[in-house]
Amino acid sequence: MASRKEGSGAAGGGFGAAKGKGKAAAGGDSAVKQVQIDGLVVLKIIKHYQEEGQGNEVVQGVLLGLVVDDRLEITNCFPFPQHTEDDADFDEVQYQMEMMRSLRHVNIDHLHVGWYQSTYYGSFVTRALLDSQFSYQHAIEESVVLIYDPIKTAQGSLSLKAYRLTPKLMEVCKEKDFSPEALKKANIAYENMFEEVPIVIKNSYLINVMLWELEKKSAVADRHELLSLASSNHLGKSLQLLMDRVDEMSQDIVKYNTYLRNVSKQQQQKHQYQQRRQQENIQRQSRGEPPLPEEDINKLFKPPQPPPRMESLLIAGQINTYCQNIKEFNAQNLGKLFMAQALQDYSN
């Protein structure tokens, strides 16, 4: 069965948020300043993607834990099951209830504190993610969304980031007014739509000892694989996605310019109409006739609806993400090149 595609939201987020609302917030009223994740949760997320995520398909799941002061502790998680639209009998809300009930019976943390999602070349800045995170964060103030990037992780370093919606964007989403005027009044740009929360991965002392032992036993040849410069495919894919988003941004700019031209054209028509009525009233007055009755000019000339600007902000955020990916790829390749040259000189 196919899993959710990129851009799908976390179904059932409203239920999970509503169930955890007073309980999760009871740990502290302050905003989250740090996210602490158990190492087992990280492994579960990675395993979930390796088992079910293929190509541009994404995997999603629920984060469980508790809030301690201004720290969000994520101690457990479970995945959303794969299903298609044809599975009409499947109820995600019921599934989450059963999972949380089972965890509670075995004395495991079962409070909702957010959700996680894998990403495809950093293309996680979507309207579906925004809506899902708003649903969680509106009910549970401290909730976060974890974004796992398997492509960057495969390059040699774990890529796991926690995001929250900024207070400004939360207010705009509550009003559901994404017009250019509303976004301008709220001073919303793609830079201040999401805020990243620092992540700390916590392991027990026994696990840390085991990791040190595994690192000592790892072969040197395996470490040298990290110096491979074979990232042209990733760079090319990032460039392709960047060009696609730039094309979408150009289309949005054309739509907005068309809207401005229509507004200007309508203003001219209104001005000409008012001038004609004024001249006609002057002629009627000279003939001793009463002036024309007053009319609501806004009913005669309905202003064109401005195009929503939220999609443009999300596209701008995706463009920024792809540019950062390309910059990181180039920096990594340059560092690998210098390191490989240094090892060659040392060997000689």
Side-chain angles (χ1 to χ4, degrees):
M1 293 184 292
S3 65
R4 298 176 180 81
K5 302 290 185 181
E6 182 70 40
S8 63
F15 159 76
K19 289 289 289 183
K21 191 176 178 177
K23 298 180 181 179
D29 297 331
S30 58
V32 172
K33 297 296 189 298
Q34 186 185 74
V35 175
Q36 178 179 295
I37 311 176
D38 284 3
L40 183 60
V41 176
V42 178
L43 294 179
K44 284 184 176 181
I45 295 175
I46 296 175
K47 183 181 179 182
H48 184 197
Y49 176 82
Q50 291 178 345
E51 292 180 347
E52 300 183 2
Q54 297 179 358
N56 61 347
E57 297 177 354
V58 301
V59 297
Q60 298 171 332
V62 176
L63 299 175
L64 307 173
L66 66 159
V67 179
V68 180
D69 296 330
D70 60 351
R71 183 177 70 254
L72 179 65
E73 297 184 1
I74 301 175
T75 58
N76 202 356
C77 68
F78 63 86
F80 284 128
Q82 289 188 357
H83 66 280
T84 62
E85 296 179 355
D86 298 332
D87 300 333
D89 297 335
F90 181 79
D91 188 349
E92 288 195 355
V93 174
Q94 184 64 27
Y95 168 78
Q96 293 184 53
M97 289 180 60
E98 292 178 356
M99 285 294 298
M100 294 166 59
R101 188 181 301 112
S102 299
L103 293 173
R104 183 169 63 250
H105 286 168
V106 293
N107 198 25
I108 296 178
D109 293 333
H110 60 277
L111 299 182
H112 258 103
V113 293
W115 59 295
Y116 69 85
Q117 174 180 301
S118 64
T119 183
Y120 179 69
Y121 286 95
S123 55
F124 63 91
V125 185
T126 62
R127 182 61 180 272
L129 181 136
L130 186 149
D131 293 339
S132 296
Q133 180 57 24
F134 171 75
S135 176
Y136 272 97
Q137 201 166 324
H138 179 66
I140 309 175
E141 183 182 358
E142 298 85 359
S143 61
V144 300
V145 53
L146 286 183
I147 301 298
Y148 168 64
D149 192 332
I151 297 176
K152 287 186 178 181
T153 302
Q155 299 299 312
S157 60
L158 175 64
S159 179
L160 190 66
K161 296 183 178 181
Y163 291 99
R164 289 168 44 83
L165 302 185
T166 59
K168 290 183 178 180
L169 186 57
M170 286 292 296
E171 292 298 327
V172 172
C173 291
K174 289 179 182 178
E175 298 296 332
K176 297 182 179 180
D177 184 4
F178 304 114
S179 62
E181 293 77 11
L183 295 178
K184 182 178 179 180
K185 181 179 179 181
N187 195 22
I188 296 290
Y190 72 89
E191 296 94 340
N192 55 11
M193 294 176 62
F194 297 90
E195 58 182 0
E196 183 177 351
V197 185
I199 290 179
V200 175
I201 298 178
K202 180 183 178 181
N203 291 316
S204 66
Y205 295 112
L206 293 177
I207 293 179
N208 288 330
V209 172
M210 183 187 70
L211 292 176
W212 278 108
E213 292 295 328
L214 292 176
E215 184 176 1
K216 291 179 181 179
K217 295 179 180 179
S218 62
V220 178
D222 296 335
R223 300 179 185 179
H224 288 175
E225 292 180 359
L226 299 178
L227 299 179
S228 174
L229 300 178
S231 61
S232 58
N233 292 335
H234 302 302
L235 182 60
K237 187 61 178 179
S238 296
L239 287 172
Q240 182 62 47
L241 292 171
L242 176 61
M243 290 188 292
D244 293 341
R245 296 294 89 77
V246 170
D247 290 341
E248 293 180 6
M249 177 63 73
S250 299
Q251 295 175 5
D252 280 357
I253 292 175
V254 170
K255 293 179 181 178
Y256 189 68
N257 289 335
T258 302
Y259 160 74
L260 293 179
R261 287 195 298 268
N262 292 336
V263 170
S264 177
K265 183 178 179 180
Q266 189 181 76
Q267 291 295 333
Q268 293 177 0
Q269 293 175 351
K270 290 170 64 175
H271 182 67
Q272 293 174 359
Y273 177 79
Q274 290 174 340
Q275 284 184 335
R276 288 197 302 268
R277 287 182 61 87
Q278 186 177 5
Q279 292 175 359
E280 188 172 354
N281 283 332
I282 293 175
Q283 294 176 359
R284 292 173 66 91
Q285 185 178 4
S286 64
R287 296 194 299 265
E289 299 177 356
L292 295 173
E294 295 290 337
E295 295 180 347
D296 189 357
I297 195 171
N298 292 325
K299 292 183 178 180
L300 297 175
F301 298 92
K302 293 183 179 180
Q305 292 295 326
R309 302 299 294 166
M310 180 56 68
E311 296 297 333
S312 299
L313 291 179
L314 294 173
I315 294 174
Q318 291 180 358
I319 291 175
N320 181 63
T321 301
Y322 295 143
C323 290
Q324 291 180 354
N325 289 344
I326 294 172
K327 182 179 179 181
E328 291 176 3
F329 279 136
N330 291 335
Q332 289 176 0
N333 284 342
L334 185 61
K336 291 177 181 178
L337 185 62
F338 284 134
M339 184 66 70
Q341 185 63 41
L343 288 176
Q344 183 177 3
D345 295 341
Y346 178 78
S347 301
N348 295 335

